[in-house]
Amino acid sequence: MISFTVTAVVFGVVFLAELPDKTALAGLVLGTRYRASYVFAGVAAAFALHVALAVAAGSVLTLLPQQIVHAITGVLFLGGAAVLLRNKEDDDEEIRRPENQSFWKVAGAGFMLILVAEFGDLTQIMTANLAARYDDPLSVGLGAVLALWAVAGLGIVGGKALMKRVPLALITKIAAMLMLALGVWSLWEAVSA
């Protein structure tokens, strides 16, 4: 039986913790470039897997070496920044037509980005701790996954809305700079930990 109280508490805690996180930025960036439904499918699947792992493993996830997680995340963000900066501005029309991107390519990119970037993240550890505290894996899992999907959806939809008002070339440059900063930050955390 699902406890709506536990689900609501977990949703609120995870939603607020994830909102300012890199996931919203990643969803926004992917949402400006690809079909939103394709991006969301990949991101949602990655979050579902993360929640399942957190709930199943409980607090064991806190024992993972954070240096390795930060290093991989940093490299992925730097790679994403390089890809964004490499695209030419005259390719805007091609980028704006998401039908040129296959479902599996776009969903796979979203899945892999979130899978690696969020592994061992605060909300995954928080979910594991909440699962251990409430001893109600189904309610905790449901609240956490709904919160993560809500944040991802906001980022993706926000990216599409932003693209209608701001030139894609400017969005791409800003996103690349933010991803570059996140990459450097993650690598700094990996070496300083």
Side-chain angles (χ1 to χ4, degrees):
M1 187 58 111
I2 295 176
S3 165
F4 291 110
T5 304
V6 171
T7 300
V9 167
V10 171
F11 178 91
V13 168
V14 172
F15 182 85
L16 291 174
E18 191 66 22
L19 199 55
D21 197 46
K22 59 192 170 285
T23 306
L25 173 65
L28 188 142
V29 170
L30 291 170
T32 61
R33 305 183 67 78
Y34 305 112
R35 181 174 286 165
S37 60
Y38 291 7
V39 173
F40 186 77
V43 168
F47 276 134
L49 179 59
H50 272 289
V51 169
L53 287 172
V55 169
S59 61
V60 174
L61 291 175
T62 60
L63 302 175
L64 293 174
Q66 288 297 309
Q67 286 179 300
I68 293 172
V69 174
H70 289 309
I72 291 171
T73 302
V75 169
L76 281 175
F77 274 116
L78 292 176
V83 167
L84 287 175
L85 290 172
R86 191 184 65 189
N87 287 331
K88 295 181 177 53
E89 289 181 28
D90 57 357
D91 289 341
D92 282 357
E93 280 309 307
E94 183 178 336
I95 292 169
R96 287 179 193 260
R97 285 186 272 128
E99 60 270 12
N100 289 342
Q101 301 292 328
S102 75
F103 170 80
W104 293 110
K105 184 176 179 182
V106 174
F111 179 83
M112 290 307 295
L113 177 66
I114 297 302
L115 185 70
V116 175
E118 291 295 309
F119 199 74
D121 191 56
L122 171 67
T123 52
Q124 190 178 34
I125 294 167
M126 188 182 304
T127 301
N129 289 336
L130 288 167
R133 176 175 185 222
Y134 286 112
D135 196 22
D136 188 354
L138 191 55
S139 299
V140 170
L142 181 62
V145 82
L146 289 176
L148 293 168
W149 287 354
V151 170
L154 285 172
I156 293 165
V157 170
K160 287 291 183 193
L162 187 62
M163 193 172 79
K164 291 178 181 175
R165 292 176 175 72
V166 181
L168 183 61
L170 179 60
I171 294 171
T172 300
K173 287 178 185 171
I174 292 170
M177 291 300 124
L178 288 171
M179 289 184 90
L180 181 65
L182 285 169
V184 170
W185 177 290
S186 294
L187 289 175
W188 181 80
E189 285 183 320
V191 242
S192 67

